[in-house]
Amino acid sequence: MTPLVLMIIIGAYLLGSISSAVLICRLYGLPDPRENGSGNPGATNVLRLGGRGAAASVLVCDILKGMLPVWISYFIGVNPFMLGIIGIAACLGHIYPIFFHFRGGKGVATALGSLAPIGWDLSGLLISTWVLTVLMTGYSSLGSMVTALAAPLFTWWIKPEYTMPVAMLSCLIVLRHHDNVRRLLEGEESKIWNKFQRKNKTTPPQD
């Protein structure tokens, strides 16, 4: 590992540690997403708390956190394995942000951003998989996990040299959703179209 790559990995983690959800909620005058709704500082919870505009801003920022360091590394010729490490660093920053007491989100949008440099065809397949799964089941978390599991297969089909780092990133996303797996098995997971109906109830929904 060269000093430049090490600096990029550290930079990716620090960039990922900037909690878009918390900062945008402050900008919009919304409640702290870590303390309200599901407690998850991500676009889905911000959608519940503040509507589409705030949620779209969070989504774009979270994607860019993963995309920028990996894209820069891709164009300067960093090898595929280290690109995967850089993407994982950005996601770890989002999940465990050093600037926000290590209370972060699930890392799905940041992971999507880190995969975008591989190709827009891969990004299109991943987004389509998430949308189709959510439309069929109603579960945002299940859509994220199915997409993460499908990502290595899609990558092997499009650019096989990136399969291993993508698989590493996918494992991180699936492990981050362990609570969602439990709730799905117990029938307690909230469907995405029920989130707004529950907004004003005392028992918060779960992401």
Side-chain angles (χ1 to χ4, degrees):
M1 181 188 302
T2 66
L4 176 60
V5 172
L6 180 59
M7 289 177 60
I8 294 174
I9 291 172
I10 295 171
Y13 172 78
L14 294 176
L15 181 62
S17 291
I18 300 173
S19 181
S20 308
V22 175
L23 295 178
I24 287 172
C25 280
R26 290 177 183 174
L27 181 65
Y28 278 74
L30 300 172
D32 190 327
R34 297 169 297 177
E35 308 296 340
N36 295 271
S38 68
N40 179 56
T44 302
N45 197 27
V46 174
L47 176 65
R48 179 187 307 115
L49 297 173
R52 296 177 182 176
S57 300
V58 172
L59 182 63
V60 170
C61 290
D62 284 350
I63 289 174
L64 288 175
K65 290 194 302 185
M67 181 183 294
L68 290 176
V70 175
W71 219 329
I72 291 170
S73 304
Y74 179 85
F75 281 112
I76 66 175
V78 175
N79 69 69
F81 179 79
M82 294 312 302
L83 286 177
I85 298 299
I86 292 166
I88 289 171
C91 288
L92 285 174
H94 180 84
I95 295 169
Y96 304 108
I98 191 172
F99 303 129
F100 293 87
H101 308 291
F102 301 99
R103 295 178 59 191
K106 299 294 177 66
V108 177
T110 303
L112 176 62
S114 68
L115 296 179
I118 295 177
W120 294 114
D121 44 1
L122 176 61
S123 299
L125 284 171
L126 295 175
I127 293 170
S128 299
T129 300
W130 185 87
V131 170
L132 182 61
T133 305
V134 171
L135 289 176
M136 291 177 61
T137 67
Y139 295 112
S140 175
S141 58
L142 184 60
S144 298
M145 287 185 286
V146 169
T147 303
L149 291 172
L153 177 61
F154 293 153
T155 305
W156 177 79
W157 182 31
I158 295 170
K159 285 189 177 180
E161 64 269 27
Y162 292 97
T163 303
M164 180 58 70
V166 170
M168 294 165 58
L169 191 57
S170 296
C171 288
L172 176 64
I173 298 303
V174 172
L175 289 173
R176 187 69 177 92
H177 283 78
H178 61 90
D179 287 336
N180 301 90
V181 173
R182 176 185 56 79
R183 289 195 294 268
L184 284 166
L185 293 174
E186 295 175 355
E188 298 176 353
E189 184 76 341
S190 173
K191 291 190 175 183
I192 194 168
W193 43 70
N194 292 337
K195 293 181 183 294
F196 294 104
Q197 298 175 5
R198 293 186 173 186
K199 182 177 179 180
N200 296 319
K201 291 188 177 182
T202 56
T203 301
Q206 302 292 329
D207 273 332

